[in-house]
Amino acid sequence: MKFLWVLLLCLPALVNGDVYQWRDGNGGKHYSDRRHADAERLDIKPGYSFYRVRTVYDGDTLVLEDGRKIRLLGINTPEVQHRNQLADAGGMEAKLWLTNKLQGARIRIETDVEQQDKYGRMLAHVFTERNEHVNQLLVAAGLAAVSIYPPNLLYADRLLQAQQKAEKAKIGIWREQQYAAFPADRLPEGGHPGWTRVQGRVTDVRGSRKFVYLKFTDRFEARIERKWLSLFTDFGSYPGQMLEVRGWLNKYKKGYSMLIRHPSAIKRL
């Protein structure tokens, strides 16, 4: 399968903190954190007002004194115990770390292309008064995994670099058995709750109107939305490769599927 979008990418240059937008021949919008020949840099204005933190809800969610709930962008921390759900390994550690760091403190917030999620929470990168990037610090401590949701691409590269170091050092979640990777051909019959990792060889690629699917086994596929394919600059090399994909399992036909939103959720083995 050939994808014309590959031809649109040329000389990508790393620009930390920048987001670019362009339109294809059909008028569709594309976003990237790397420069494109026909792209314009979005003018995303960071906030420089400081706000005091009232409550830390969990490792990636907090509440300001004015009542606004903030969801940290670009990361995901393990769940804490709530209702009838037990805490994930590392969930309380992430919450305690964030509480000790921010409860009662003043922070600066930077938003991205999307400023709110579907739950009405403000999406933001959080910085302390000493200009420490809290999102990045959580990842560097092994307390969070990178979870990029396009078109929100600010700081994607620095988050991924922090994760690579934490994973190599086997700290935090990277030493927990709960987050060990499953072979694609040995997924549990009942699936796996929460964020997980699946490894295997891509045996086939197929497409639909909305998605492109990477088939690993008859019971597991990873899927990428076509509108974000331009972010996956090495997509053409995936068939036949041993890959690890990271995200959440969804029941699909007689097996499972995983939505891959950004290249940071794919690791070559």
Side-chain angles (χ1 to χ4, degrees), residues 226-243:
R226 284 189 178 276
K227 67 180 179 179
W228 302 124
L229 275 177
S230 57
L231 297 174
F232 296 77
T233 56
D234 58 350
F235 180 86
S237 65
Y238 289 167
Q241 291 291 312
M242 286 291 295
L243 302 178

Side-chain angles (χ1 to χ4, degrees), residues 51-73 79-80 82-83 98 107 109 111 114-126:
Y51 307 91
R52 196 167 295 279
V53 175
R54 183 177 74 194
T55 306
V56 170
Y57 182 77
D58 58 23
D60 52 34
T61 312
L62 55 89
V63 180
L64 302 179
E65 277 196 336
D66 61 13
R68 284 182 294 170
K69 184 175 283 189
I70 308 295
R71 175 61 167 84
L72 274 61
L73 266 172
E79 295 294 327
V80 297
H82 59 89
R83 297 179 183 175
L98 194 62
I107 60 170
I109 57 179
T111 57
E114 296 175 328
Q115 297 194 11
Q116 283 192 333
D117 65 10
K118 62 183 180 181
Y119 304 109
R121 301 176 298 186
M122 176 179 285
L123 300 170
H125 290 274
V126 171

Side-chain angles (χ1 to χ4, degrees), residues 11 18-19 88 91 152 156 238:
L11 299 177
D18 288 338
V19 176
D88 291 332
N152 304 307
Y238 289 167

Side-chain angles (χ1 to χ4, degrees), residues 78-93 178-179:
E79 295 294 327
V80 297
Q81 183 173 354
H82 59 89
R83 297 179 183 175
N84 297 322
Q85 181 175 323
L86 297 177
D88 291 332
M92 281 305 301
E93 288 84 349
Q178 181 175 336
Y179 306 110

Side-chain angles (χ1 to χ4, degrees), residues 2-38:
K2 296 182 180 180
F3 298 96
L4 294 177
W5 53 268
V6 174
L7 300 177
L8 297 176
L9 300 173
C10 64
L11 299 177
L14 174 63
V15 183
N16 206 11
D18 288 338
V19 176
Y20 298 90
Q21 175 186 289
W22 73 93
R23 291 182 181 273
D24 58 29
N26 297 319
K29 288 184 180 180
H30 298 271
Y31 298 89
S32 179
D33 55 353
R34 299 174 187 274
R35 192 182 301 277
H36 175 275
D38 301 321

Side-chain angles (χ1 to χ4, degrees), residues 1-244:
M1 184 180 295
K2 296 182 180 180
F3 298 96
L4 294 177
W5 53 268
V6 174
L7 300 177
L8 297 176
L9 300 173
C10 64
L11 299 177
L14 174 63
V15 183
N16 206 11
D18 288 338
V19 176
Y20 298 90
Q21 175 186 289
W22 73 93
R23 291 182 181 273
D24 58 29
N26 297 319
K29 288 184 180 180
H30 298 271
Y31 298 89
S32 179
D33 55 353
R34 299 174 187 274
R35 192 182 301 277
H36 175 275
D38 301 321
E40 60 179 18
R41 186 171 65 85
L42 294 181
D43 184 18
I44 300 173
K45 298 183 183 299
Y48 287 99
S49 298
F50 283 88
Y51 307 91
R52 196 167 295 279
V53 175
R54 183 177 74 194
T55 306
V56 170
Y57 182 77
D58 58 23
D60 52 34
T61 312
L62 55 89
V63 180
L64 302 179
E65 277 196 336
D66 61 13
R68 284 182 294 170
K69 184 175 283 189
I70 308 295
R71 175 61 167 84
L72 274 61
L73 266 172
I75 69 171
N76 179 73
T77 60
E79 295 294 327
V80 297
Q81 183 173 354
H82 59 89
R83 297 179 183 175
N84 297 322
Q85 181 175 323
L86 297 177
D88 291 332
M92 281 305 301
E93 288 84 349
K95 179 180 179 178
L96 288 173
W97 185 96
L98 194 62
T99 299
N100 292 333
K101 190 74 173 176
L102 297 183
Q103 185 114 13
R106 297 201 322 152
I107 60 170
R108 174 173 64 84
I109 57 179
E110 288 189 23
T111 57
D112 203 336
V113 176
E114 296 175 328
Q115 297 194 11
Q116 283 192 333
D117 65 10
K118 62 183 180 181
Y119 304 109
R121 301 176 298 186
M122 176 179 285
L123 300 170
H125 290 274
V126 171
F127 295 83
T128 68
E129 289 186 281
R130 296 166 59 185
N131 206 35
E132 298 169 300
H133 187 187
V134 174
N135 312 50
Q136 182 180 352
L137 290 178
L138 279 160
V139 174
L143 298 172
V146 172
S147 184
I148 306 295
Y149 281 46
N152 304 307
L153 302 172
L154 281 177
Y155 305 119
D157 282 295
R158 68 162 63 171
L159 291 174
L160 188 56
Q161 289 168 10
Q163 177 171 273
Q164 289 168 343
K165 292 179 181 178
E167 185 176 355
K168 184 177 180 179
K170 292 183 170 61
I171 59 175
I173 64 173
W174 305 108
R175 64 169 178 257
E176 295 286 351
Q177 184 59 35
Q178 181 175 336
Y179 306 110
F182 286 100
D185 59 357
R186 281 184 273 164
L187 283 176
E189 288 295 329
H192 185 277
W195 183 87
T196 192
R197 302 156 60 196
V198 179
Q199 295 180 347
R201 189 177 303 280
V202 177
T203 60
D204 194 16
V205 177
R206 67 181 182 88
S208 68
R209 183 181 60 83
K210 186 176 180 181
F211 295 102
V212 172
Y213 295 84
L214 305 178
K215 180 180 178 179
F216 288 77
T217 72
D218 289 339
R219 295 185 59 245
F220 178 70
E221 293 181 320
R223 68 188 193 279
I224 302 169
E225 285 189 272
R226 284 189 178 276
K227 67 180 179 179
W228 302 124
L229 275 177
S230 57
L231 297 174
F232 296 77
T233 56
D234 58 350
F235 180 86
S237 65
Y238 289 167
Q241 291 291 312
M242 286 291 295
L243 302 178
E244 176 177 301

